[in-house]
Each structure stands twice: as structure tokens, then as C-alpha cells.
Amino acid sequence: MARRDGRGGFTFELVPDDDADGPLDTSAPADTRTAGDGTLAGPATTAGVAGPRAGEPSAESDGHRDLIPPSLLTRAVRRAAVWLRGRPPVQLVAGVVVLVLVLAGGGVAAVLRDRAADARVRAAPGGVLDLSHPIREWWTISGGSSNSWDSGLWPIGALDGVIVLAQTVTEDPAEDPADDPAEDPAEDPADGQAGEPAGEPAGEPRAETSTVLRGVDVDTGDERWKVTLPGAAMCDTGSLALNRASGYMGQGSSLMCVQGAGSETTVTVIEAGGHVTTRTPAGLDDRTTILTGPAGMLLRVTRTADPPDGVALEEDRARGWRISQPVQPPEVKVSAEDAVTGEQVWEQTLHPGLVDDASSWWGCASWDEAGTPVFDADMVAVAASTDGVVLHLCGLEAVLSASGDVVRQNATGAGTDLPVVATGLVDGGLGIVDGGDSGGWGDGWTGPTVVVDTQGREVVRLTGGPLDPWATDGTGGLDLRGPEPDPEGVVVTHDGTHLAAVRADGTQRWQVDERPRSQGALVRGAGVIVLVASSPSGAEVRGVDLATGVTRWTAPIDEAVAYGGGPWAFARGAWTDGKVAVIVTPSDAGDGTLPVWTAYDLRTGAVVWHLDGAAAAKIVAPQSTCLAVAGRLLCVVEDKLVRVA
């Protein structure tokens, strides 16, 4: 029989059935598992009862799984024992050798499959290695500051199993020793004045602000490194989802931080191990803006000339605001350079259009402290990741691939005032609204959409909008990050009437009527995509078979409490390990509603475990933001970060 030893492996004894330790117990149901404390835990656990034992880790909690199911090994060994019984010594030895080789080969194959599946889930957006048991607190870290001026912790990127947390720390001038009479010198010999530091004007002390970056191991919660940058900094890994709110954080190769402006710009690059490189980019002037770009690169946006003087935004009773005179913004050069060395990778020249009352001038506006729009031809707004680059400039909106190819370019002007709306897709690449006024791109969008890969190449034109899931197990999709799309993968789309699965070559795998209309996709895995919708009977999630379009299961969820469409009107987060989908509902409308955590079997919709609001709040603060990072689930709120799965 097969017995599990203390190291997670199996010890085999070839014994006749009549010598086994007692009769085989077949009274327990097939789907019942023995818990670590000897109790029986069924397949569905509810109301905060955490798997084998509430709050205790299981044999699978750390991502390890049985190499081969014990029942399979037991049957194989028993059959082999029957054949070996009574055989001559030569056959007996040969049979044992063959049996050992077969079992060893099967074990190795299972190990390789298991490792490959784990690696795929770790890399997949929203993938968490094991969600078979309710969440629990593994470790917690705090910002450790009692200064109310300091910001909370905020995750800004992930590097090779390290999550990077940022915190803005402000030195409270009220606590400055220089302001404490007990510690002030009676007289400063430098200037003969008491109570004032030499060289500093009298008056209110200025608060000094710094940006503290901490690299925290996602497995242990240990701080691997800490870097403090003076002043404010804009930091990014260039690997986050482009223009897409999601419950995961992709891993980059380095963290890039930009400080200052114009010729005073400095760049700091931090690698996964904490190595820091700081430099001042060459050739900067007031016409150039440095921004973080796709992974490992910086973007340099340079106007080739100064904009004309005398242009302003004027209040207009009929229209609110109008531009005082037409303006033609100068050409703009956009280039990407290696963040560490400064070596140029690519460059493009873009041509803005005329900006006047007949076109949109919002890309040429900033706002003052009173909230009044001010004409600003230097305005640059960029969203960049490995999926691509989206630029919003005065007189121009453009989409570029991470390799520098211009995918879309829309110069503003009369009759061309249509926004370029591009969003990163869960399988890589971008979904771009194809003409017309989008009204905003999102999971509720049902208009025509063009899908491009990470090289900017057009893959497929959809007649509807993609239902892009928040989380996947790395299977079933087009996989647009590789050299070629997966020919067996699909993107699920809807046009307001039909739901369809479309391959990379544009052919449909299936098409079905969509009733009720889906508001978004939450999870894709195990051959199922989980959609969320609102029906006359209430909100629901449903598992749709990726191969056929047939709805395998439906489950009611709490009614949406947030305004607007899309999945955020129904849920706060969703993750998967490829077998289970964990969904947190309802949406957050700021009314104090406690989130509920429910785990569904992807194939059947059966509830695997459930935590009501009160039980979940003991583990995760209700207002937490939760992210999947390298196969782990981390939740952050204010100055606290906790790993829960």
C-alpha cells in the first residue's frame, strides 16, 4: 500500500491483501478528505471554517501538491502485488525492477507537470497558487510611522518575487529638534541670532518630504532592501496592466523612478536585489519630459519648438470654456532609451493637429489650485507597459507598441475629434476602439474593437467588445506576448446580442445568444470563463464553457451597490488557481458594506468555501486592495500589508 511519509513523499510496502493493516475503509464518501487534526472536511467549507482547521495551513497551502493521487498508487501496487505473488525469483526481481521504473517515471512526469502548472499560474494575471482553502493571515508588515503627515503603504511594482512598496514620508516641522527650546542652542556663533539656524530665513519651518521604497519578499514578508529618495518621485516597473484596473501586479525587471523636470531631471533604477543606479539623462532642456516607459525603458517626449504666446482658455457662458485663438502645436519627438545606460532604443516623430474651437483642446489644459482650466501646450499624459504606449498630447492622441511602432495616431481637428481608447488585455497586447465615439472602453463596451499584439501587429478585428477577465490560469486565451498567437486560444466577445469565442484568425469557435447581457468577465481557467451579469432576478455569475459556449453553471451574488457598468459594479476582486475561482462581492460603493469571499469550483460552480463579511473582516480590512503577485495574494490598506493566500 502507499503511505505518505513526513517529507511529503510515499513509502511502498508490497504486502498480500490478507496482511494489510485492517480492512480497507470504504465508508467515507469519495469526495471527503481527512483533515490534519483527524476530522473530516467536506468539499465545501462555509462561514469562515478554514479547510482542515480554521487558520491552519494544509499540505497544499504552500503550493505543493501530491505527486500522484494516493488512490491511484494504491491500486497500481495492489495489482502488481497480485501478479508478483507466487512468481519465480528471477521473474520476481525483474517485476519489481519494472514496477519501480514505471512508478518513478510516472512520479517524474507528474512533478514536471506540477511545476509547469505552478509556473504558469505564477505568471498568469490574477493567478494564485492555492485557493482550495479559505484565506488566512500568513504574515503582516506595517509602515511603522506614527506621523499623520506620512502616506500609507502603496504597492507600485513587483520584481522577481519582491513586491515594492512606496511611502511618502514627511518630516513634521513641529517635531524638528531645531524648534524645541530645550534643544536649541542659546546662540548660533555664525550669525549671533538665537533660535534660528545659520543661513535660514526666519519664519515657518519647511517640511521635508522623501519617498521611501521597500522591497518585501512575497513569501516571507521579510524586507530585502530599502531605498530612500529625497523629495517626490514617479516610479513604475513598466509591467502593469495598461489603462486597466485589475487585481494583479505583473513582475518587471527593474523599478524606474523619475524626479524633477526639464534639465533638473534625475533617474533612479532599482533592480530586484536592491542595486541602485542614479543618473541625469543627457541633452535635457525645458522642452523635454522624461517619463517611465515599458519595462526597462524611459520615454523622452520633446517638442521641436515653443508653442505660440498669447493663447488662453476663456470662460464662455454658452459653452463653459473656449480657446482664445487657434493654435498649431509643434512636432513632437518620442523616443525610448535604456533606463540604466541611456542608449536610445527607438524614436518616432508625431504630428499634432490644429487645435481650435471645432476640435478638442482638453489635451492642452491643466488645472490650477482653484480648479480652473489653464491652457498648457506642454501637457503630456502617458500610460506605458509591455503591452504598449498610449500618448495624450496637445493636439494629438497616439498608440505605439513597446517596440516603437505607431499603431494609431489621431491628430485633433475639425471632424477628427474622436478619442483613441486603448486598454491592455489579459493575454497581452491591446484592445483598441475601432472608430466612433467609444464613450469609454471597458468590459461593458460592445462596439467594434481591434486587437493588436505586443509588437503592434493587428491580430483580429472584433465586431464587439472583448470580455477580458481579471484573472486567468494562463490557459485558453490568445497569448499575444509570444511570437505568434495561440491558434487554439480564443477571445470571448459580445455585441449586445450575441456572445462569441473568436480565434486569432477571426473565425468563430461558437456563437450563442447573450441573455442576460454580460457586464464583464471575472475569471478564465479550467476551460471555463466566469461572466457577471444583472438579470431581473438579481445579479449572478455564470460559468461558460470555452469549447462550446454552453453555460455550465450559474450562482447568485449580492446585488451591485456601485454605480456604472462593468464588473466593478458587482465585485471587488477575483483570482484563480486553475481549479477554483475566488470572487469578492459586492462592489465597493463606500457605504460600509462588508465584502464577502466565495470560492467556486470552476468546472461545476459548487461552493468550495465561503467567508461572510464578519469572518473576512477579521483577516482582511474591508477597504483593502488585494493583488496577486507571483502566485501569492497580498492585501494592503493604509500602512499595513498582509499576505492571505
Side-chain angles (χ1 to χ4, degrees):
M1 65 182 66
R3 294 181 178 173
R4 190 174 182 84
D5 65 17
R7 297 166 298 179
F10 290 97
T11 301
F12 301 101
E13 295 178 292
L14 302 182
V15 298
D17 289 348
D18 53 2
D19 291 338
D21 299 330
L24 179 65
D25 182 10
T26 59
S27 60
D31 60 352
T32 303
R33 67 191 315 166
T34 303
D37 58 359
T39 62
L40 296 179
T45 311
T46 61
V49 181
R53 181 187 295 165
E56 291 293 324
S58 70
E60 297 179 352
S61 295
D62 60 356
H64 297 289
R65 300 177 176 84
D66 292 340
L67 301 185
I68 305 175
S71 59
L72 178 60
L73 287 171
T74 302
R75 290 196 301 270
V77 172
R78 286 183 179 277
R79 291 172 181 173
V82 172
W83 182 85
L84 290 172
R85 191 181 301 149
R87 298 290 175 180
V90 173
Q91 290 185 352
L92 181 62
V93 172
V96 171
V97 170
V98 170
L99 176 62
V100 170
L101 290 175
V102 170
L103 290 175
V108 170
V111 168
L112 294 177
R113 287 194 301 270
D114 200 47
R115 289 179 177 175
D118 281 356
R120 187 178 65 243
V121 171
R122 279 178 179 270
V128 179
L129 281 179
D130 185 10
L131 292 170
S132 60
H133 300 284
I135 59 171
R136 68 177 183 87
E137 181 179 331
W138 289 68
W139 52 256
T140 300
I141 63 171
S142 173
S145 173
S146 59
N147 187 354
S148 61
W149 288 32
D150 294 349
S151 72
L153 296 175
W154 191 252
I156 59 172
L159 308 169
D160 191 24
V162 171
I163 185 169
V164 182
L165 304 174
Q167 185 175 28
T168 301
V169 176
T170 303
E171 181 182 345
D172 191 340
E175 299 178 1
D176 194 323
D179 299 327
D180 188 346
E183 298 185 14
D184 280 350
E187 183 176 328
D188 191 324
D191 58 8
Q193 300 296 318
E196 289 292 341
E200 289 290 334
E204 292 295 328
R206 292 183 300 175
E208 297 293 333
T209 299
S210 59
T211 301
V212 178
L213 305 171
R214 302 165 65 185
V216 176
D217 190 296
V218 298
D219 283 326
T220 65
D222 295 334
E223 184 177 290
R224 288 195 187 176
W225 50 261
K226 181 177 180 180
V227 175
T228 300
L229 302 177
M234 178 181 65
C235 301
D236 196 0
T237 61
S239 59
L240 303 182
L242 186 67
N243 289 342
R244 181 177 185 270
S246 58
Y248 72 94
M249 182 166 285
Q251 298 195 79
S253 57
S254 60
L255 180 74
M256 303 167 290
C257 297
V258 177
Q259 296 178 279
S263 58
E264 303 297 321
T265 302
T266 59
V267 174
T268 301
V269 180
I270 306 172
E271 298 175 1
H275 178 73
V276 178
T277 302
T278 301
R279 68 181 180 90
T280 298
L284 297 181
D285 56 30
D286 291 340
R287 294 179 180 176
T288 302
T289 302
I290 297 291
L291 303 154
T292 58
M297 292 190 288
L298 297 173
L299 293 178
R300 184 182 293 240
V301 181
T302 304
R303 299 189 320 276
T304 57
D306 291 326
D309 295 328
V311 183
L313 295 178
E314 302 173 342
E315 192 168 3
D316 185 293
R317 291 190 175 185
R319 303 175 58 182
W321 296 89
R322 61 184 298 273
I323 192 168
S324 62
Q325 65 186 63
V327 59
Q328 175 61 60
E331 290 183 344
V332 176
K333 290 187 180 296
V334 180
S335 62
E337 61 190 65
D338 186 282
V340 175
T341 67
E343 181 180 0
Q344 188 177 98
V345 180
W346 53 260
E347 183 181 58
Q348 289 284 358
T349 299
L350 304 177
H351 307 278
L354 181 71
V355 179
D356 57 17
D357 278 344
S359 63
S360 174
W361 46 261
W362 290 105
C364 311
S366 59
W367 277 258
D368 61 18
E369 293 182 356
T372 302
V374 178
F375 182 80
D376 184 358
D378 298 333
M379 275 296 298
V380 178
V382 175
S385 77
T386 52
D387 297 322
V389 178
V390 179
L391 286 163
H392 297 275
L393 309 172
C394 183
L396 177 71
E397 293 178 322
V399 180
L400 286 74
S401 70
S403 56
D405 296 316
V406 178
V407 181
R408 289 288 189 280
Q409 186 173 183
N410 180 27
T412 59
T416 64
D417 184 22
L418 299 176
V420 174
V421 184
T423 301
L425 300 175
V426 74
D427 295 313
L430 300 172
I432 303 174
V433 170
D434 188 26
D437 186 358
S438 71
W441 195 99
D443 290 286
W445 170 249
T446 58
T449 305
V450 175
V451 175
V452 300
D453 65 14
T454 53
Q455 300 301 312
R457 299 171 298 190
E458 184 174 306
V459 176
V460 62
R461 287 180 173 262
L462 305 175
T463 58
L467 286 163
D468 206 42
W470 288 355
T472 83
D473 64 354
T475 65
L478 295 181
D479 188 12
L480 301 180
R481 295 184 175 92
E484 296 293 336
D486 184 351
E488 300 301 321
V490 295
V491 56
V492 177
T493 178
H494 65 158
D495 59 9
T497 303
H498 297 99
L499 192 69
V502 182
R503 302 181 181 92
D505 62 5
T507 61
Q508 289 186 349
R509 177 180 290 176
W510 48 260
Q511 177 177 288
V512 297
D513 291 338
E514 187 180 28
R515 294 291 183 273
R517 174 177 166 178
S518 301
Q519 290 296 316
L522 298 177
V523 173
R524 189 190 68 218
V528 170
I529 186 168
V530 180
L531 306 177
V532 61
S534 181
S535 66
S537 59
E540 66 180 26
V541 290
R542 64 179 187 270
V544 176
D545 193 306
L546 279 175
T548 64
V550 173
T551 297
R552 288 190 181 180
W553 54 268
T554 61
I557 59 174
D558 291 337
E559 284 287 349
V561 295
Y563 296 105
W568 287 109
F570 299 84
R572 306 188 191 200
W575 304 273
T576 186
D577 61 3
K579 299 177 182 177
V580 171
V582 172
I583 301 173
V584 182
T585 57
S587 58
D588 185 7
D591 61 354
T593 303
L594 294 178
V596 172
W597 293 62
T598 308
Y600 302 92
D601 184 292
L602 275 169
R603 295 183 181 277
T604 67
V607 174
V608 179
W609 54 264
H610 175 83
L611 293 178
D612 61 25
K618 295 178 181 179
I619 305 166
V620 178
Q623 299 305 317
S624 294
T625 297
C626 297
L627 301 166
V629 181
R632 308 297 189 237
L633 186 57
L634 310 177
C635 298
V636 62
V637 60
E638 297 179 351
D639 69 339
K640 183 179 292 185
L641 177 73
V642 56
R643 175 186 164 190
V644 298

